[in-house]
Amino acid sequence: MPFWLTLLLLSLSALLWSKGSTNRDDVIGLLEQLLASAALLLVMFLGHHLWLELAGLALALWLPRGHSGMPSMRIVAGDDLLLPF
C-alpha cells in the first residue's frame, strides 16, 4: 500500500471517529465509528508499515491493566440484588 494511501486512510479514520463520537444519533455514530475502525484495521493489516505496528503495540502496552482485587461499585436501591461475576 502506498504511503499516501496510508495517510489518507488514517486521516479518514480519525475524522470518522471524531464525527461518530459527537453525533447525536447513536446508530449513525456507531456506524461511523465502525467504518473508522475498519479503515484503521485495513491500514494495520495491509499497510505493513512497521512504525504503525510499533505504535499500536506501544498503545496496547500503555493501557492500564484491570485488577482482580478491586472492589466493585455497589448501588443498592430497593429490592435490587447485585451478583458478582
Side-chain angles (χ1 to χ4, degrees):
M1 179 180 300
F3 188 70
W4 64 270
L5 185 58
T6 300
L7 290 178
L8 178 71
L9 284 174
L10 282 177
S11 61
L12 180 67
S13 177
L15 176 71
L16 279 173
W17 188 268
S18 66
K19 280 184 67 175
S21 297
T22 59
N23 200 336
R24 289 182 171 264
D25 188 6
D26 291 338
V27 176
I28 299 299
L30 180 64
L31 177 64
E32 288 172 343
Q33 287 180 343
L34 284 173
L35 287 173
S37 299
L40 184 64
L41 288 174
L42 184 70
V43 168
M44 290 299 288
F45 290 129
L46 296 179
H48 298 292
H49 296 290
L50 185 61
W51 60 274
L52 282 176
E53 294 166 4
L54 290 176
L57 179 64
L59 178 67
L61 292 175
W62 176 73
L63 291 173
R65 290 183 11 173
H67 300 288
S68 61
M70 292 179 61
S72 61
M73 290 181 41
R74 296 193 181 262
I75 301 172
V76 178
D79 295 332
D80 293 344
L81 177 64
L82 299 175
L83 300 173
F85 291 103

